[in-house]
Amino acid sequence: MLNFIMRSFALSFSIFIRAVPMWAFLGALLYVGLMMLWDHPIVFILLLLLGMGTTTFFMMFSQIRSGLSVLGETTPPDIGKLLKKSVRFCFFVGLWSTLVTLLSVAGFFTLGYLGLFDWDRMFELALAGTPEAQSELESVFSGAGVYAYYVISSTLTQIAYCAIAVPMAANAASCSAKARDYEIFWGFGAYAFRMFLLNLIAGTILTVGLILYFVLGITMAASTFSGLDEASILEAFQQAPGWREMLTLGALIALPVLALIWWGALWCAGATIAFVDRRNVSEAKFQQELECIYEEPMARE
């Protein structure tokens, strides 16, 4: 387990270096599209929503393939297969997400039916709309049963999404001209708990980093405007920012974006290593079965 996490973190930085230019290029394309459709923002938003899923999986498949390339596990990509697999896996994840959501809702109603919490009363308070009902609804949602349901359902949902990490990497690995064509469900559920722990560690790191980011921003703002009256602060905002201010603002904007890109790179790194380990185990098992089949019979005395 520790070896898997350490290998994933080490590989994530290699993927991150390769992913930053790809996301920058995608951002530039989105900016050009926005400028071309500036007079028709609704059309731009519709096109963005239609292509968001396929584009996201295309980028994730590309990052997984860059991780496989670092490990020496892949051949040059086939763009046509990459686009086709991205569309197929987008529909697969959509169906899986729908199933997970329905199971979560069913679990909520089942626990309410068992008496863990009164969901009929929740609906009545939500539809009442009065301040008293709102206050009582907040107290109901603060109960131990609701918190227990939220923790358990969130954990199971994350594990369910981690279960598709190996199939995602397998489909990305097959996007080459002469690569093995894996089934869309190949490796489903393999190393899901490892991926869950990896995401838990990454989420903790990002949460701590986000807290430090806001503390740093508040501290910088307090030190910059300390001792100034309201008129001086307004005058400072009206002045054109210098290169230092622009550099600081750019760094403050870039840091959260780079953190999110690294988070995606870490997920892709974990999926890549999980796929390689799962494939090696499968091939070793298959080779062992072949050796048992073709083993020479023992000589009789």
Side-chain angles (χ1 to χ4, degrees):
M1 183 69 69
L2 181 61
N3 183 34
F4 171 80
I5 293 174
M6 293 178 62
R7 290 161 60 199
S8 299
F9 271 90
L11 183 59
S12 68
F13 295 107
S14 299
I15 297 178
F16 172 75
I17 294 174
R18 293 165 173 79
V20 170
M22 292 191 297
W23 284 106
F25 180 70
L26 179 62
L29 288 180
L30 291 176
Y31 177 76
V32 172
L34 178 61
M35 291 298 101
M36 293 177 61
L37 297 174
W38 183 259
D39 296 332
H40 306 281
I42 297 179
V43 177
F44 176 77
I45 293 174
L46 289 177
L47 292 176
L48 183 63
L49 292 176
L50 288 175
M52 182 179 297
T54 303
T55 304
T56 300
F57 284 103
F58 181 85
M59 297 295 291
M60 295 187 72
F61 279 14
S62 300
Q63 292 180 87
I64 291 173
R65 290 192 61 83
S66 66
L68 291 170
S69 178
V70 172
L71 298 177
E73 296 283 347
T74 188
T75 54
D78 186 335
I79 302 299
K81 292 182 69 175
L82 195 59
L83 287 172
K84 183 179 178 180
K85 291 281 187 178
S86 300
V87 174
R88 287 181 58 192
F89 209 82
C90 179
F91 280 104
F92 167 68
V93 174
L95 293 175
W96 181 239
S97 301
T98 303
L99 178 61
V100 171
T101 302
L102 291 176
L103 289 176
S104 178
V105 174
F108 176 80
F109 282 102
T110 301
L111 293 177
Y113 178 77
L114 295 176
L116 187 60
F117 45 82
D118 190 359
W119 47 266
D120 288 332
R121 182 59 179 167
M122 291 181 181
F123 288 147
E124 292 177 3
L125 295 174
L127 295 176
T130 60
E132 294 79 8
Q134 184 68 26
S135 177
E136 185 178 351
L137 183 62
E138 292 177 358
S139 64
V140 170
F141 272 103
S142 301
V146 177
Y147 278 123
Y149 165 77
Y150 175 75
V151 172
I152 295 173
S153 63
S154 298
T155 302
L156 294 178
T157 300
Q158 290 299 319
I159 294 176
Y161 282 114
C162 290
I164 63 175
V166 174
M168 182 185 298
N171 280 266
S174 64
C175 296
S176 297
K178 298 181 180 180
R180 171 184 170 183
D181 193 10
Y182 294 91
E183 297 178 357
I184 195 169
F185 295 101
W186 189 90
F188 181 83
Y191 304 123
F193 187 68
R194 293 185 182 184
M195 288 296 298
F196 172 74
L197 288 181
L198 182 66
N199 284 338
L200 185 62
I201 294 172
T204 303
I205 293 174
L206 288 180
T207 301
V208 173
L210 183 64
I211 294 173
L212 294 176
Y213 173 81
F214 280 109
V215 170
L216 179 62
I218 294 173
T219 303
M220 291 176 59
S223 61
T224 302
F225 298 110
S226 62
L228 298 178
D229 55 7
E230 184 178 353
S232 301
I233 295 175
L234 291 175
E235 183 180 355
F237 275 107
Q238 291 174 356
Q239 294 177 357
W243 66 271
R244 292 183 179 178
E245 289 78 7
M246 293 295 295
L247 186 62
T248 302
L249 181 61
L252 290 175
I253 296 175
L255 282 175
V257 177
L258 293 176
L260 290 176
I261 295 176
W262 173 77
W263 195 2
L266 182 62
W267 164 271
C268 294
T272 301
I273 294 176
F275 159 71
V276 173
D277 291 348
R278 177 67 176 83
R279 186 205 58 192
N280 292 341
V281 170
S282 178
E283 290 181 352
K285 183 178 179 181
F286 179 71
Q287 187 65 30
Q288 184 178 7
E289 291 176 353
L290 286 180
E291 291 176 357
C292 292
I293 293 173
Y294 293 103
E295 184 179 5
E296 295 183 1
M298 297 179 62
R300 288 188 176 183
E301 291 293 334

